[in-house]
Amino acid sequence: MAESTGELAYAALLQAVESRKRLLLDYLMQERFIERFRPAHIREAVYSYVTGGGKSLRPAVTMLACGALGGDESRALPVAAAIEIYHTWTLVHDDVIDRDSTRRGRSTVHHEFARRAREEFGWGTDDAEHYGRTIAMLTGDVQQSWAWSLMFEAHLERGVSAAVVLRLAQELAIQVTPRLVEGEALDVQYAGRARQLSEDQVLDMLWKKTGALYEFAGRAGAAIALNDAAPDRPEIQAIARFGSLCGAAFQIQDDILGIVGDETQLGKPVGSDIREGKSTLLTLKALERADERGRQRILRSLGDASASAADIAAMAALIRELGVIEYAQDLSRRFVREALAQLAPLPENEHRHLLALWAQYLIEREF
């Protein structure tokens, strides 16, 4: 009975997230936005991930956080849209950095437009791949610019205080972006160095890549509801901390699924982090716990771009045997428990309930 109740609760959550996603897409697909992006390759690339099947969890947090504090969600929609587009440009660039060919079951931007250059322009491999990376870079540039303009629409179109919008835009520019870029740079620098890193270093890197934007998403929704972006407001601090902890839990679950998930559900190859030599919490703990023979097996696969599916499966089996999956799951659950405690001082309402369900969903999702 408890299980069926939980399933019903998650179904209600996903329905709530989906309804907000539809509002978001309707807003972003307005002709006044679409016509800005030229030529056609840029326009198609800009919208590629937007319409590509993501769950839009970050903007949902912004809207739910606004509602949890008694705000009108519709006033938060432009900022939620800005956060979605901001997140999207980071994905486009991240896929170039990681040399990934698929995302959400589709070709990544740089991979797709390399193919288009070969087929439409007749270009050779090197020129086509350069074109694909170029389109991805330019797409991210345009999307970041669009994100800023969407922030300002919260004031111009929805009447959110100019002071609140400016404060949020400033935070996104001078705090979130540098943290995110730092996390991405550390992710690259840490590749193949898991044995030299501490758990705190890896968790800090993961938080900067993921938690910082979730923290901002919660803070933005709270600020719009209260019409006050002062960082010392207890309600804003609570929701921001909630988002931060959930972001860390989300990334840990992402890393777990990246090794033991279902490739058809994930929409990307399982084991890509291993092939790229990423220093995740899982590889760090596996190297700590393995004997010398096990460590050598891990190090042989880590960073081997040609590692086969069988190699990845063997690595995943070893990680399971060492109890690393359970360790990571326990850590993500701890983060979620701490996050839920942040919601305790907030008013009891449906939005707060949905935020709590969302936090639990992050660590139980399978894709």
Side-chain angles (χ1 to χ4, degrees):
M1 182 66 179
E3 183 178 353
S4 61
T5 302
E7 289 172 358
L8 287 172
Y10 284 138
L13 167 69
L14 294 176
Q15 184 178 15
V17 170
E18 180 62 26
S19 68
R20 286 158 178 82
K21 178 183 174 181
R22 286 196 298 270
L23 289 172
L24 186 78
L25 287 176
D26 287 345
Y27 185 75
L28 292 173
M29 297 301 294
Q30 293 178 75
E31 190 62 33
R32 66 190 177 101
F33 295 143
I34 294 172
E35 65 185 10
R36 293 178 186 174
F37 307 120
R38 300 187 179 120
H41 278 192
I42 291 293
R43 181 168 55 252
E44 292 164 18
V46 163
Y47 279 99
S48 174
Y49 295 177
V50 174
T51 60
K55 290 182 284 296
S56 300
L57 294 176
R58 291 159 187 81
V61 170
T62 299
M63 298 177 76
L64 291 173
C66 181
L69 292 177
D72 178 356
E73 285 190 49
S74 68
R75 297 181 78 229
L77 182 58
V79 172
I83 289 169
E84 177 74 347
I85 297 302
Y86 182 94
H87 174 58
T88 302
W89 80 256
T90 70
L91 298 181
V92 172
H93 283 187
D94 185 66
D95 288 339
V96 175
I97 294 167
D98 289 346
R99 291 173 280 198
D100 285 338
S101 60
T102 59
R103 177 175 290 279
R104 300 169 183 164
R106 298 184 178 187
S107 289
T108 52
V109 167
H110 69 279
H111 187 75
E112 171 65 15
F113 285 92
R115 181 191 67 78
R116 298 274 290 272
R118 288 191 296 271
E119 294 182 1
E120 296 176 19
F121 306 151
W123 289 358
T125 299
D126 288 348
D127 287 340
E129 290 183 356
H130 176 69
Y131 180 76
R133 290 190 295 270
T134 299
I135 290 295
M137 290 169 60
L138 296 174
T139 295
D141 294 342
V142 168
Q143 288 170 324
Q144 186 165 182
S145 175
W146 188 17
W148 299 125
S149 77
L150 289 166
M151 293 282 290
F152 301 139
E153 292 223 357
H155 170 65
L156 298 172
E157 182 187 281
R158 302 293 169 108
V160 177
S161 159
V164 167
V165 171
L166 287 172
R167 186 104 184 217
L168 291 174
Q170 183 183 47
E171 181 179 343
L172 191 63
I174 67 175
Q175 294 184 34
V176 179
T177 300
R179 284 173 181 163
L180 190 147
V181 169
E182 180 187 355
E184 192 68 47
L186 290 173
D187 193 25
V188 175
Q189 291 176 6
Y190 288 173
R193 294 175 53 204
R195 294 185 76 174
Q196 304 164 34
L197 302 171
S198 69
E199 181 173 310
D200 285 346
Q201 285 177 297
V202 171
L203 290 175
D204 177 66
M205 177 268 290
L206 295 177
W207 179 83
K208 284 169 179 166
K209 283 187 62 180
T210 305
L213 187 55
Y214 271 113
E215 178 181 273
F216 178 78
R219 191 194 316 279
I224 292 166
L226 299 173
N227 202 33
D228 183 356
D232 57 351
R233 286 286 297 261
E235 308 96 316
I236 293 177
Q237 289 181 332
I239 288 190
R241 181 64 176 156
F242 168 82
S244 174
L245 288 161
C246 286
F250 175 93
Q251 187 59 58
I252 292 171
Q253 181 68 6
D254 227 34
D255 289 344
I256 292 170
L257 293 174
I259 292 180
V260 299
D262 183 333
E263 198 164 293
T264 59
Q265 288 185 302
L266 290 176
K268 61 182 179 181
V270 168
S272 58
D273 284 351
I274 294 172
R275 293 186 179 96
E276 291 162 19
K278 292 283 186 77
S279 292
T280 66
L281 177 67
L282 302 180
T283 54
L284 176 73
K285 297 305 293 185
L287 286 167
E288 282 182 8
R289 293 184 171 193
D291 58 20
E292 185 56 33
R293 182 179 178 185
R295 281 193 289 272
Q296 291 307 314
R297 284 177 60 193
I298 294 166
L299 292 171
R300 277 198 301 273
S301 295
L302 205 56
D304 180 4
S306 63
S308 67
D311 294 331
I312 298 300
M315 176 87 156
L318 178 58
I319 287 173
R320 281 187 184 279
E321 288 168 16
L322 293 168
V324 172
I325 299 296
E326 291 83 355
Y327 177 87
Q329 289 172 332
D330 286 345
L331 183 59
S332 64
R333 291 188 191 105
R334 191 189 83 199
F335 284 146
V336 166
R337 285 195 300 272
E338 292 178 21
L340 292 174
Q342 301 300 315
L343 298 180
L346 303 185
E348 277 279 5
N349 56 37
E350 180 64 17
H351 289 82
R352 173 181 148 176
H353 175 64
L354 287 170
L355 283 172
L357 281 175
W358 173 81
Q360 294 284 358
Y361 169 76
L362 291 183
I363 57 172
E364 295 186 20
R365 65 194 172 90
E366 295 182 355
F367 61 95

